[in-house]
C-alpha cells in the first residue's frame, strides 16, 4: 500500500511569488492534515480536512494560505504571496475515520519550502 | 508557554545503552500520547501510542504516561546505531486521535557504535 505522497519534495521561490504544494493521502483515508515545521521549532498544525470539508483550520497563519481538497481526495496548499517567514517543511498526514478506536496519522515525507 | 515541552538534545549514547526520552505537557485534555521517530529528510513515523495513563511495551521500546504529573517517557533498551534519529512526542485531545496533534520540538538521538 502506498503511503502519503507529497509534491514537490523541495521548492525554492522568491518572496512575493506563489507556490502550490500537493498531498496525496493514503487511499480511503477521509482525514487529511497539514502541518508545518519552521526551523528550530516544533511541528505545528495548520488544518484538518474530513473528506472535502475543513474540520479545523485554526492553525492557518493568515489569509495568504489557501488549502483545498477537491472531491475528498488529494489536497493542495497554496501560499500567495510567499514571505520569508513561510520557509520551512510542510508535512501532510492522513488517517482513517473512526470514533471508537485510535486512528494513526500517517505522515508524508514533507515539502521543504525555501523563500528567498 | 508551549503546550508540550521536550528537550531538543542532542543526546549521544554508546551502543547498548538504555535511552530515556521525556516530554511534559500542560493541557489536561490530552488523551492520546504518541512517539514518532523521524530520520533525516523523512516524515515522522509512529513508534508507539498510549491512551490515557499507563505503560506500553513493544520490543525494545517502552512508553509511559503519568497524567497526574503531565509527564510522558519513552525508553529504548539495548540501543542500536540504527536508532539514531529525532524522536518526537505528540499529543491529541481527540477520543480517537483524529484531531490535531500537538508536537514537542523533538530530541535528536545519536547512538555511537
Amino acid at each position: 500500500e502506498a503511503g502519503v505522497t507529497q509534491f514537490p519534495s523541495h521548492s525554492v521561490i522568491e518572496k512575493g511569488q506563489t507556490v502550490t504544494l500537493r498531498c496525496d493521502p493514503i487511499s480511503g483515508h477521509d482525514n487529511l492534515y497539514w502541518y508545518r515545521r519552521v526551523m528550530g521549532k516544533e511541528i505545528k498544525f495548520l488544518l484538518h480536512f474530513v473528506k472535502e470539508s475543513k474540520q479545523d483550520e485554526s492553525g492557518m497563519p493568515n489569509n495568504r494560505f489557501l488549502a483545498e481538497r477537491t472531491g475528498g481526495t488529494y489536497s493542495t496548499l497554496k501560499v500567495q504571496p510567499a514571505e520569508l517567514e513561510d520557509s520551512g517543511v510542510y508535512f501532510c498526514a492522513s488517517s482513517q475515520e473512526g470514533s471508537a478506536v485510535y486512528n494513526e496519522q500517517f505522515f508524508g515525507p514533507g515539502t521543504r519550502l525555501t523563500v528567498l | 508557554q508551549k503546550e508540550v515541552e521536550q528537550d531538543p538534545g542532542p543526546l549521544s549514547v554508546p551502543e547498548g545503552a538504555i535511552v530515556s526520552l521525556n516530554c511534559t505537557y500542560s493541557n489536561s485534555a490530552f488523551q492520546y500520547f504518541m512517539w514518532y521517530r523521524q530520520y533525516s529528510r523523512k516524515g515522522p513515523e509512529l513508534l508507539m501510542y498510549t491512551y490515557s495513563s499507563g505503560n506500553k511495551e513493544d520490543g525494545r521500546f517502552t512508553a509511559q504516561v503519568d497524567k497526574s504529573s503531565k509527564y510522558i517517557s519513552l525508553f529504548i533498551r539495548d540501543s542500536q546505531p540504527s536508532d539514531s534519529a529525532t524522536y518526537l512526542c505528540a499529543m491529541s485531545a481527540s477520543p480517537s486521535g483524529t484531531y490535531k496533534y500537538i508536537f514537542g520540538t523533538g530530541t535528536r538521538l545519536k547512538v555511537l557504535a
Side-chain angles (χ1 to χ4, degrees):
Chain A
E1 179 183 273
V4 176
T5 57
Q6 293 185 245
F7 183 83
S9 57
H10 194 182
S11 180
V12 181
I13 61 172
E14 300 270 336
K15 175 182 171 181
Q17 288 185 323
T18 297
V19 63
T20 300
L21 313 181
R22 173 170 169 143
C23 168
D24 286 80
I26 293 172
S27 177
H29 281 192
D30 288 337
N31 292 287
L32 188 149
Y33 312 81
W34 285 98
Y35 292 85
R36 176 175 74 171
R37 182 168 194 154
V38 172
M39 186 179 289
K41 301 287 185 82
E42 69 274 19
I43 296 174
K44 279 195 170 178
F45 168 81
L46 296 177
L47 89 159
H48 170 202
F49 284 100
V50 177
K51 297 184 180 177
E52 66 275 9
S53 300
K54 292 176 185 174
Q55 179 78 9
D56 180 357
E57 48 185 328
S58 62
M60 294 289 265
N62 51 60
N63 59 10
R64 295 185 294 103
F65 289 75
L66 175 63
E68 294 179 323
R69 190 177 183 195
T70 307
T73 55
Y74 71 92
S75 175
T76 58
L77 180 65
K78 180 190 286 188
V79 185
Q80 179 181 28
E83 298 289 345
L84 299 178
E85 63 265 25
D86 301 332
S87 296
V89 182
Y90 289 76
F91 291 104
C92 176
S94 71
S95 73
Q96 291 180 316
E97 181 62 15
S99 58
V101 297
Y102 174 70
N103 291 287
E104 176 184 348
Q105 290 187 23
F106 293 85
F107 281 76
T111 292
R112 184 172 298 273
L113 174 63
T114 302
V115 182
L116 302 176
Chain B
Q1 184 186 5
K2 292 180 183 176
E3 280 190 276
V4 179
E5 298 278 357
Q6 182 176 11
D7 187 335
L11 179 63
S12 292
V13 301
E15 183 176 357
I18 296 175
V19 176
S20 172
L21 304 167
N22 312 292
C23 290
T24 59
Y25 64 95
S26 57
N27 187 347
S28 57
F30 289 142
Q31 299 189 50
Y32 279 97
F33 303 88
M34 283 67 66
W35 285 97
Y36 277 81
R37 178 175 62 194
Q38 185 178 17
Y39 292 111
S40 182
R41 305 285 174 159
K42 302 286 187 182
E45 169 192 31
L46 182 69
L47 270 178
M48 299 179 71
Y49 76 91
T50 308
Y51 175 71
S52 194
S53 281
N55 295 355
K56 190 171 185 179
E57 188 173 320
D58 183 1
R60 297 185 295 111
F61 299 89
T62 299
Q64 290 184 350
V65 174
D66 181 347
K67 291 191 78 176
S68 63
S69 302
K70 295 190 175 71
Y71 186 88
I72 71 169
S73 301
L74 177 71
F75 297 95
I76 306 174
R77 289 183 299 282
D78 187 25
S79 55
Q80 302 297 308
S82 58
D83 294 329
S84 298
T86 296
Y87 289 79
L88 303 153
C89 63
M91 307 182 188
S92 173
S94 163
S96 62
T98 51
Y99 297 171
K100 63 185 178 185
Y101 285 1
I102 309 298
F103 281 88
T105 51
T107 300
R108 285 179 56 196
L109 171 67
K110 187 164 187 178
V111 181
L112 305 170

